[in-house]
Amino acid sequence: MTHDDDAVFEAVRARVLSGEYLDHRLGLPEDDSDGAVRCCADQGSWRTVYFRGTPEYDTALAAGRLDLPPPLRPVAEDVVNECEELLGRPLPSLLRRCYLELGDGGFGPGYGLLPLWDPENGVSVMDAFRRREGWPQEWRPMADSFLTLCDWGCGVESLIDFRNPSGGMWAIDPNSTAGDDPGVMLFPQEFTFPEWMRRWADGTLRQPQLVLGKGAGG
C-alpha cells in the first residue's frame, strides 16, 4: 500500500470504530417519525430509514432512536485468495485490506460494500461478477475488468475497474434521461477507489448520477 492508501485506511477505520459506518440506519421499532423514508424490515414490520448527514439522522442519533448497525466480521484470507483466483487478478491493496481487517462488507458507501462471498444469500461481489454474462452487449468488452462493490438503490451501482492498479471507479445509473440506452448507463467517475473511500470517510461522497453532457456526479 502507498502512504496515501494507509491514510485512507486509517480514516475509514476511524469511521468504522465510531460506529457510524453505514450511510443509512433504521429507526427503532417504536420510532414513528413523520416525513421520513420507511422500509419493510424484519417480520414484515415497517421501519423508518435515516440517512447519515441529514438533520433527521443527527436528531435521531442524539435521541437514541437509531438501531445498532450489524456487527462487522473481517473475511478470512483464504476467502480473499479464492476470490482473487476466480478473478484471475489481485484485489487493489486498499480494498483487500478493508475486507481482511475491517469487515466482509457491511460498511461504506450506499448500502455498504458487498461481502466478497455469501453463498446463503447470493448477494456478493463474486455473485455479481458471475452475473456479468447477462450484461448488455455494449458492456461486454469491459465485463471481465469490473466488480460491483455496492448498490445505492433504484438500480444504481458503484463498480471498480481493475485496468487501473488503484481501481478506477465507475457507476451504473439506469434512471437518467438516457432511457433504455445501456451504452451511456455505465460511465466512469473522476476518482480511484482510495479517493472514493476517502470521500466517504469525510462525508463528501455523493451517490453517482449520470448527467448527460456533463458527466457523472459523485
Side-chain angles (χ1 to χ4, degrees):
M1 291 179 68
T2 67
H3 174 74
D4 288 342
D5 284 355
D6 284 333
V8 172
F9 179 81
E10 292 304 323
V12 173
R13 180 163 65 176
R15 172 64 66 183
V16 167
L17 291 176
S18 76
E20 297 295 297
Y21 50 80
L22 281 176
D23 287 345
H24 71 288
R25 297 260 298 273
L26 294 179
L28 296 176
E30 61 271 19
D31 180 57
D32 60 353
S33 299
D34 295 329
V37 175
R38 297 182 68 82
C39 74
C40 187
D42 50 289
Q43 299 179 350
S45 64
W46 287 84
R47 306 274 293 276
T48 304
V49 183
Y50 294 95
F51 297 91
R52 186 165 68 93
T54 64
E56 293 82 5
Y57 182 100
D58 294 339
T59 299
L61 178 65
R65 301 203 314 265
L66 294 182
D67 207 354
L68 292 175
L72 301 180
R73 297 181 178 86
V75 71
E77 188 163 9
D78 60 345
V79 173
V80 176
N81 293 339
E82 181 181 357
C83 288
E84 291 179 330
E85 184 176 346
L86 290 172
L87 293 171
R89 64 192 77 196
L91 297 177
S93 57
L94 177 60
L95 179 60
R96 195 178 206 274
R97 188 176 180 188
C98 284
Y99 278 117
L100 286 172
E101 298 185 35
L102 299 180
D104 188 16
F107 67 95
Y111 285 91
L113 296 181
L114 293 174
L116 279 182
W117 196 265
D118 188 355
E120 292 184 3
N121 298 318
V123 181
S124 67
V125 168
M126 296 311 301
D127 182 64
F129 183 68
R130 286 170 168 165
R131 291 202 306 270
R132 74 197 186 283
E133 295 178 357
W135 275 19
Q137 191 64 37
E138 293 90 335
W139 302 355
R140 294 288 181 84
M142 300 177 287
D144 287 345
S145 300
F146 286 159
L147 277 184
T148 298
L149 288 186
C150 78
D151 73 76
W152 299 79
C154 299
V156 179
E157 298 180 4
S158 286
L159 309 93
I160 190 168
D161 179 5
F162 288 135
R163 292 174 298 182
N164 181 328
S166 296
M169 295 304 298
W170 286 60
I172 295 173
D173 179 8
N175 307 301
S176 72
T177 55
D180 297 327
D181 181 6
V184 297
M185 292 179 190
L186 175 68
F187 55 92
Q189 297 196 273
E190 71 274 18
F191 39 74
T192 61
F193 176 72
E195 174 66 11
W196 188 70
M197 290 301 290
R198 184 198 64 77
R199 294 187 183 200
W200 172 76
D202 65 21
T204 60
L205 184 68
R206 298 293 178 263
Q207 175 176 314
Q209 182 179 13
L210 177 63
V211 181
L212 296 182
K214 295 183 180 180

